[in-house]
């Protein structure tokens, strides 16, 4: 039996994870957490003793003693749980990319001490993890992250001036929670994934490329020094990377349809338009600058996306706030979690100055 603590149980990833657990008799839920959604029925149905709405995730993890933490909380709120699992060598199935982006160096140090597994749930990183598995790192040339391009692919900046929350939430290939859906529309999601890939695989930023691939069938690729590229393909469905992380190193069956090549597949790739979608380029700048700049990028983006979702900020204001916050912040490295929390709070304060009071 593998005991899973599911943090963010009521979200898009959380609900799909529950289906994966229900399908696999060797998986058992030992803890559930949400921010404000009631968990009583879910806890009763799955016989889960430790269920918590709001409150301290660390207390929940300490009490429930999981074998695997599936961190599917959204945003910086997941950072403590990520560090907790890595420090103790408890397997971390990570959907909450924001925590690795913000706490990258601290997380790697905690993983080194804890000696446990860090399994990416993000579909692109699960793909890269599988393409890299068992390969000599010296043979790797570069990583390629694919991006659907979101609902506004092909538009000019002028055409983005008046887009609404509803427009931004209409994602062409993935059904996800609101924050990541907006991040996909701005390309901040790919920016976060760029930094996530750097920390997960130790790859320098100049060897991680972002390409637009509208059908999301190729989840990512690794290029090798002999000219080979290995790609990971499948229909876009988060069940697959969730199931892979929860049943690793086995590859449990899922109901996801097999790839039907005879029915025809469109595999188009193009360079992202970084002028229209500056958030991917800003992530690269933050990642290369190091220190707490990735945390600043993440915090400013969280503030700006929340303001956009509350209709207090136009769509293009998200990039402007992140850029202004990166310029204003000092980015000094964080020695510990307290210093990181402080840098996050300061970045939120700086970003908040750019949000119209509404
Ligand atoms: N959705 C996807 O397909 C996808 C793909 C790749 C990566 N991810 C990543 O996975 C994470 C979750 O995304 P999502 O789309 O599932 O988000 P979501 O649908 O908005 O769900 C977020 C979940 O986190 C809970 N939560 C938020 N803050 C919390 C806190 N402080 N303590 C405990 N629980 C908290 C929410 O509870 P309430 O219900 O009470 O609000 C909800 O259960 C994000 O980091 C995202 O980038 C998602």
């Amino acid at each position: 039996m593998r005991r899973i603590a599911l943090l963010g149980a009521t979200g898009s990833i959380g609900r799909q994870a529950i289906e994966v657990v229900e399908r696999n008799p060797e998986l058992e839920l030992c803890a559930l957490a949400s921010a404000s959604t009631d968990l009583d029925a879910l806890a009763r149905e799955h016989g889960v003793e430790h269920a918590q709405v709001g409150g301290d995730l660390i207390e929940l993890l300490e009490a429930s003693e999981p074998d695997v933490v599936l961190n599917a909380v959204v945003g910086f709120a997941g950072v403590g749980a990520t560090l907790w699992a890595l420090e103790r060598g408890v397997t971390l199935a990570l959907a909450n990319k924001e925590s690795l982006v913000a706490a990258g160096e601290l997380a790697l140090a905690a993983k080194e001490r804890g000696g446990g597994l860090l399994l990416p749930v993000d579909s692109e990183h699960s793909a890269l993890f599988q393409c890299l598995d068992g390969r000599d790192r010296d043979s790797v040339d570069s990583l390629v992250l694919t991006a659907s391009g979101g609902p506004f692919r092909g538009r000019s900046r002028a055409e983005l001036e008046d887009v609404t929350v509803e427009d931004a939430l209409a994602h062409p290939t993935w059904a996800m929670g609101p924050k990541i859906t907006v991040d996909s529309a701005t390309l901040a999601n790919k920016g976060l994934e760029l930094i996530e890939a750097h920390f997960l695989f130790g790859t320098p930023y100049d060897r991680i490329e972002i390409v637009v691939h509208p059908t999301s069938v190729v989840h990512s690729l690794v290029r090798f020094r002999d000219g080979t590229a290995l790609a990971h393909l499948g229909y876009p469905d988060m069940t697959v990377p969730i199931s892979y992380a929860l049943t690793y190193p086995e590859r449990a069956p899922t109901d996801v349809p097999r790839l039907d090549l005879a029915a025809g597949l469109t595999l188009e790739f193009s360079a992202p338009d970084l002028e229209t979608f500056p958030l991917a380029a800003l992530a690269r700048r933050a990642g290369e600058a190091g220190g707490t700049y990735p945390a600043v990028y993440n915090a400013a983006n969280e503030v700006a996306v929340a303001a956009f979702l509350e209709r207090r900020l136009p769509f293009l204001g998200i990039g402007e706030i992140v850029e202004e916050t990166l310029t204003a912040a000092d980015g000094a490295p964080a020695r510990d979690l307290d210093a990181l929390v402080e840098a996050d709070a300061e970045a939120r304060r700086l970003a908040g100055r750019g949000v119209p009071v509404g």
Side-chain angles (χ1 to χ4, degrees):
M1 266 304 183
R2 201 172 276 187
R3 292 162 50 79
I4 319 276
L6 178 52
L7 312 180
T10 50
S12 162
I13 293 287
R15 291 191 305 272
Q16 295 175 84
I18 289 168
E19 287 174 20
V20 169
V21 170
E22 284 168 350
R23 228 202 121 108
N24 289 285
E26 73 284 8
L27 302 179
E28 169 184 72
L29 291 169
C30 67
L32 299 169
S34 72
S36 59
T37 307
D38 183 74
L39 291 168
D40 285 351
L42 200 57
R44 223 175 303 118
E45 190 186 334
H46 290 271
V48 182
E49 189 191 338
H50 304 276
Q52 184 176 292
V53 179
D56 185 349
L57 292 172
I58 304 307
E59 279 173 20
L60 179 75
L61 293 171
E62 297 276 359
S64 58
E65 300 181 2
D67 300 313
V68 179
V69 175
L70 172 46
N71 189 351
V73 162
V74 61
F76 187 77
V79 78
T82 285
L83 294 176
W84 183 91
L86 292 172
E87 191 74 55
R88 278 156 193 77
V90 174
T91 298
L92 175 63
L94 185 69
N96 176 243
K97 64 190 92 185
E98 296 93 338
S99 58
L100 189 59
V101 168
E105 309 284 353
L106 295 178
L108 293 187
K111 178 172 182 282
E112 183 73 26
R113 289 190 295 268
L117 283 172
L118 169 49
L119 301 169
V121 170
D122 230 345
S123 64
E124 295 79 358
H125 303 74
S126 178
L128 292 171
F129 181 86
Q130 292 173 61
C131 292
L132 288 166
D133 196 22
R135 320 277 161 198
D136 177 0
R137 287 308 158 98
D138 289 343
S139 70
V140 174
D141 172 77
S142 51
L143 311 181
V144 184
L145 286 166
T146 54
S148 73
F152 304 140
R153 180 175 54 87
R155 295 208 196 175
S156 66
R157 267 188 94 70
E159 288 169 326
L160 294 179
E161 262 166 26
D162 300 323
V163 294
T164 64
V165 170
E166 289 71 25
D167 297 332
L169 290 182
H171 196 276
T173 50
W174 296 99
M176 310 177 287
K179 194 258 175 183
I180 182 174
T181 306
V182 174
D183 285 347
S184 299
T186 61
L187 287 200
N189 184 47
K190 222 41 63 176
L192 293 168
E193 289 180 8
L194 172 80
I195 301 172
E196 183 186 12
H198 168 78
F199 286 120
L200 278 172
F201 306 117
T203 310
Y205 287 101
D206 61 0
R207 288 174 178 239
I208 312 175
E209 184 185 353
I210 295 171
V211 297
V212 173
H213 167 53
T215 53
S216 305
V217 167
V218 176
H219 298 138
S220 278
L221 309 90
V222 178
R223 291 200 197 92
F224 292 88
R225 64 184 174 193
D226 65 352
T228 301
L230 291 183
H232 181 288
L233 280 73
Y235 295 121
D237 189 325
M238 287 307 294
T239 306
V240 179
I242 294 169
S243 179
Y244 184 74
L246 292 185
T247 64
Y248 180 86
E250 316 257 312
R251 199 183 275 277
T254 74
D255 291 333
V256 174
R258 308 298 93 135
L259 204 56
D260 186 350
L261 297 164
L265 279 183
T266 310
L267 298 184
E268 270 175 36
F269 301 91
S270 59
D273 174 357
L274 299 176
E275 299 285 315
T276 307
F277 301 98
L279 278 145
L282 288 170
R284 198 176 281 282
R285 168 175 143 192
E288 280 170 350
T292 47
Y293 281 113
V296 169
Y297 173 90
N298 176 64
N301 183 56
E302 284 190 32
V303 168
V305 170
F308 171 69
L309 286 169
E310 289 162 10
R311 298 169 205 274
R312 290 190 287 128
L313 188 73
F315 183 77
L316 291 177
I318 301 172
E320 288 161 12
I321 285 191
V322 172
E323 178 156 25
E324 284 161 16
T325 309
L326 282 173
T327 303
D330 73 6
R335 288 176 319 281
D336 53 24
L337 181 56
D338 286 347
L340 180 66
V341 168
E342 213 169 282
D344 170 81
E346 173 63 5
R348 280 168 202 271
R349 194 187 62 73
L350 291 170
R353 297 189 310 192
V355 176
V357 184

